[in-house]
Amino acid sequence: MRDFVVRVAFIGFSAFVGAFFALPMLWLVFAPFDSTPTLAAQIPEFTLENFSDLLSNASALRSLGNSLILVAGVVGVVLLVGAPASYVLSRIKFPGRDVFLYMLLLMSSVITGAAAMVPLFLLTFELGLNDRFPGVILVLAGGMLPASIFILKDFTDTTPRSYEESARVFGATTLQTLRDVVVPVIRPGLAVISVWTAVNVWSNFLIPFILLRSPSKSPAAVLMYSFYTEGGQPNLRLIAAFSLLYTVPILLLYGYVNRKYGFRFHGGLKS
Amino acid sequence: MAGIEISEITKIFPGEVTALSELDLSIEDGEFFALLGPSGCGKTTLLRTIAGLEPATSGSLDIGDRDVTSLPPGDRNVAMVFQDYALYPHMTVRDNIAYPLKVQKVGREARYGEAEKAGSSLSLDGLMDRRPGQLSGGQQQRVAVARAVACRPDVFLFDEPLSNLDAQLRLEARGFLKQLQKDLGTTTVYVTHDQGEALALADRMAVMDHGVIRQVGTPTELFHRPANVFVAGFIGSTPMNLIPGVLGDGNVRFDGGVLPLNGRGDTGGEVFYGIRPEYITIGDVGDISGTVAITENLGAQFLVTVDVAGQLIRAVVAEGSEPATGDTATVNPDPDRVLVYDRESGELTPGAGYH
């Protein structure tokens, strides 16, 4: 009897927690199609007008484009810099290497974007990168790199050296070895890093908000902040529709990467 | 086709670790040559130096007519089979075998043709589209060998290629490798720590210890006349008996009695009396007697350890004729098979023993 009560209580609690987290999802599905959305999840009076309004808003689509540019740029920089860096850190032992890696990781998580915002702003200003995409891309990539290098080094560590040595004996150049052997073997790691970076950049608000002053350059996460009615109330119709649109690319990315590479986050176990 | 000429190769690793010390070795064209030694003796370093994966600190290395000492691995025209096979997990068997040819810029058609041929000569037909992860250990090993065969090198280098296989498969793969090498006639250097494997496979072999070669010769030479106590103890499935004693007049005296010797006149030296367990008979009659301490079943034979005045002497006897533990038995070495080693230097002394 006591077991039964405990069990009912546990299931009830779980259901409550589940509902608590499911409600916003429900809102995200219903509100965009509601002609008068509120902050509550409710059965909508079905309409597609919110979307047609959104599509007639030029800045909405442009902001999604801006977000894509930022994501592509940061993922590109992280892969191009992170992969070679992690390879070198994995293959060459130098005194203090591990300390260096841990310090890098520690610093990057302690000194977050907000804490470093003022110096970062001044730095981009001095470099003439203020209000320009390259500036934001470099700042965001800098934030993602330490952890990316750390994760990728782990993947590279599990790649046996004999793979590279045998390629060398066959006459492959270093570049060929990296392209034909090392990169394909650590590809699951590269996929993990790419998705993780993309999601982070896509949802980053603070850095593009501060570094990109022109409204025409705002990425989606920042633009959403500007959906107000003339009366100063949040424009829930636009916000709801835009929120749904905003989640779609990330869902597609997950699906694509998962199907193509699979998320094997348990290191480079040989497949 | 090419022989290998190694002269005064020295390899010192950072931290002043000497892996190879002024080593000279010449390997004939077409020979199956085994490098044998305990772990850490430098045999793998020597192999990697031949491959070019480790640059030699000093000395020179020729393959065929070419001095390859300072050439990168890819220009030496050697193929290496690694202990873990180093098959690329993301490539099919066909792509794995064809990879060296791809590096050499052989066209797609031609290299797949070569891969098929090499694959089928190692009975890999039907497995060509699989990935290494879907193959058994023995199949993976054959893929690694096929990859080495496909690039038609001057020299094959094998780094303990059988050590990851189970005993049954190892025997099969051993015969297979020997046959393949005979058919191809390619000079082969084979590193192993298993003396049985070296004896079975090699045309000639070298025993290494601490970065130097202790003896070079045919398996028969090394088995019958080990040049020093290190080789004597290393070669043979049951190590040679090395009984410390003093040379007498045509014999060797030790605490347990007088050991027979043929054809030696000198006296007085401190020596090891070396005799393989296979050349000792156990009986009831004889000068040297002791208590049977252990009997071990080897299948068709028994390894009998006899305690003679505190000295343990091992003998191999036919099954059915082994004494029981605790019995008193006599030990009768065959004087024609005895080798006498200097106790101080550990070197074989000339004169006595099997030739």
Side-chain angles (χ1 to χ4, degrees):
Chain A
M1 189 59 201
R2 236 200 82 172
D3 281 0
F4 180 73
V5 172
V6 169
R7 205 162 162 69
V8 166
F10 177 73
I11 290 173
F13 179 71
S14 308
F16 175 74
V17 171
F20 185 79
F21 284 102
L23 276 175
M25 297 292 144
L26 221 57
W27 182 86
L28 188 63
V29 177
F30 287 151
F33 303 101
D34 198 332
S35 54
T36 53
T38 63
L39 285 174
Q42 56 190 12
I43 305 297
E45 298 163 44
F46 186 81
T47 175
L48 287 174
E49 210 175 301
N50 299 344
F51 286 95
S52 61
D53 278 6
L54 188 68
L55 294 182
S56 62
N57 184 337
S59 61
L61 285 182
R62 196 177 49 218
S63 76
L64 288 172
N66 290 342
S67 282
L68 282 181
I69 293 174
L70 289 183
V71 164
V74 176
V75 169
V77 170
V78 165
L79 289 183
L80 281 177
V81 177
S86 63
Y87 178 76
V88 168
L89 285 169
S90 164
R91 289 304 189 235
I92 299 174
K93 254 201 153 74
F94 56 87
R97 180 184 69 174
D98 293 346
V99 175
F100 172 76
L101 267 169
Y102 281 106
M103 285 306 283
L104 208 63
L105 194 65
L106 187 71
M107 287 305 166
S108 76
S109 39
V110 170
I111 305 171
T112 54
M117 211 53 246
V118 174
L120 280 175
F121 182 81
L122 292 175
L123 187 65
T124 48
F125 189 78
E126 291 292 324
L127 291 172
L129 290 172
N130 221 357
D131 201 23
R132 293 176 57 196
F133 285 137
V136 182
I137 288 173
L138 287 177
V139 168
L140 286 171
M144 307 303 294
L145 269 172
S148 306
I149 291 172
F150 197 80
I151 295 170
L152 275 178
K153 179 187 166 285
D154 229 41
F155 275 91
T156 318
D157 282 345
T158 53
T159 310
R161 266 164 203 266
S162 62
Y163 287 9
E164 290 158 60
E165 287 176 345
S166 97
R168 267 177 71 201
V169 174
F170 294 134
T173 60
T174 308
L175 217 61
Q176 276 175 316
T177 310
L178 286 178
R179 192 192 60 203
D180 297 342
V181 179
V182 180
V183 168
V185 172
I186 63 166
R187 199 153 52 187
L190 296 174
V192 166
I193 295 302
S194 303
V195 171
W196 179 65
T197 304
V199 170
N200 264 287
V201 172
W202 188 260
S203 60
N204 195 306
F205 171 78
L206 187 66
I207 287 173
F209 178 66
I210 290 179
L211 295 184
L212 292 171
R213 300 312 297 166
S214 326
S216 65
K217 290 181 181 162
S218 291
V222 174
L223 185 82
M224 220 184 301
Y225 189 60
S226 69
F227 287 146
Y228 283 95
T229 59
E230 285 85 351
Q233 292 297 309
N235 187 341
L236 283 178
R237 291 178 53 232
L238 281 186
I239 289 179
F242 193 68
S243 298
L244 189 62
L245 220 56
Y246 176 72
T247 54
V248 169
I250 292 298
L251 290 177
L252 289 179
L253 181 72
Y254 261 111
Y256 172 75
V257 173
N258 191 28
R259 224 184 53 188
K260 188 119 195 249
Y261 306 109
F263 283 105
R264 293 182 296 162
F265 214 158
H266 46 70
L269 277 182
K270 274 185 259 174
S271 59
Chain B
M1 298 299 123
I4 302 172
E5 204 63 48
I6 295 164
S7 43
E8 294 183 8
I9 284 276
T10 297
K11 173 72 193 179
I12 299 171
F13 282 113
E16 301 301 303
V17 180
T18 305
L20 301 172
S21 162
E22 296 191 358
L23 189 140
D24 292 297
L25 184 63
S26 104
I27 297 168
E28 305 287 321
D29 179 16
E31 194 168 45
F32 199 124
F33 194 90
L35 287 172
L36 177 67
S39 40
C41 72
K43 57 191 191 299
T44 296
T45 305
L46 179 57
L47 193 78
R48 291 169 58 87
T49 308
I50 298 173
L53 291 170
E54 303 285 356
T57 310
S58 66
S60 77
L61 174 71
D62 292 11
I63 296 178
D65 309 327
R66 296 188 304 158
D67 180 356
V68 299
T69 317
S70 52
L71 286 185
D75 294 343
R76 298 187 177 199
N77 202 18
V78 299
M80 185 157 170
V81 175
F82 289 79
Q83 188 171 3
D84 63 1
Y85 314 137
L87 300 176
Y88 306 132
H90 57 285
M91 294 185 193
T92 60
V93 168
R94 178 180 293 107
D95 283 325
N96 261 294
I97 298 175
Y99 185 68
L101 301 171
K102 186 180 170 192
V103 171
Q104 293 164 20
K105 300 198 167 56
V106 176
R108 195 186 168 82
E109 293 280 308
R111 67 174 190 259
Y112 279 166
E114 285 291 321
E116 290 295 339
K117 242 192 294 174
S120 91
S121 75
L122 282 120
S123 19
L124 290 166
D125 305 282
L127 302 174
M128 298 300 275
D129 291 314
R130 300 246 192 117
R131 289 183 191 244
Q134 299 165 302
L135 302 179
S136 70
Q139 290 167 336
Q140 290 184 15
Q141 192 256 353
R142 293 210 302 276
V143 175
V145 174
R147 185 167 64 175
V149 169
C151 56
R152 304 209 176 145
D154 288 338
V155 174
F156 285 133
L157 304 172
F158 288 107
D159 186 7
E160 311 216 12
L162 305 184
S163 59
N164 286 343
L165 303 179
D166 54 51
Q168 188 84 42
L169 212 54
R170 201 177 303 169
L171 205 66
E172 199 179 298
R174 197 167 83 181
F176 183 80
L177 271 184
K178 177 111 176 160
Q179 186 62 49
L180 183 80
Q181 197 272 343
K182 278 233 143 36
D183 293 346
L184 295 172
T186 307
T187 312
T188 300
V189 185
Y190 185 103
V191 161
T192 179
H193 63 265
D194 180 338
Q195 54 85 30
E197 215 167 277
L199 290 176
L201 283 168
D203 297 323
R204 282 197 316 142
M205 59 194 279
V207 177
M208 289 183 68
D209 180 35
H210 289 110
V212 295
I213 288 179
R214 301 306 299 269
Q215 190 176 5
V216 183
T218 64
T220 316
E221 281 166 10
L222 265 68
F223 185 79
H224 287 309
R225 278 187 76 80
N228 45 60
V229 289
F230 178 79
V231 177
F234 205 79
I235 292 197
S237 50
T238 49
M240 185 184 278
N241 290 300
L242 292 167
I243 306 163
V246 178
L247 261 182
D249 190 10
N251 56 38
V252 170
R253 295 168 187 284
F254 80 118
D255 290 346
V258 177
L259 295 156
L261 205 58
N262 275 356
R264 284 285 292 238
D266 52 336
T267 60
E270 293 209 319
V271 296
F272 283 117
Y273 182 90
I275 180 83
R276 290 205 177 276
E278 291 84 352
Y279 303 138
I280 294 183
T281 52
I282 297 276
D284 309 322
V285 207
D287 300 333
I288 307 152
S289 73
T291 322
V292 176
I294 314 163
T295 59
E296 293 163 68
N297 191 337
L298 304 180
Q301 290 160 325
F302 271 78
L303 179 64
V304 179
T305 307
V306 183
D307 184 338
V308 181
Q311 173 70 41
L312 296 178
I313 300 175
R314 286 179 301 271
V316 171
V317 302
E319 59 177 330
S321 69
E322 77 280 3
T325 310
D327 282 2
T328 301
T330 59
V331 176
N332 305 300
D334 177 354
D336 290 335
R337 294 283 191 166
V338 172
L339 297 164
V340 176
Y341 294 93
D342 184 87
R343 216 186 303 171
E344 187 148 2
S345 67
E347 297 298 315
L348 181 66
T349 58
Y354 182 78
H355 291 272

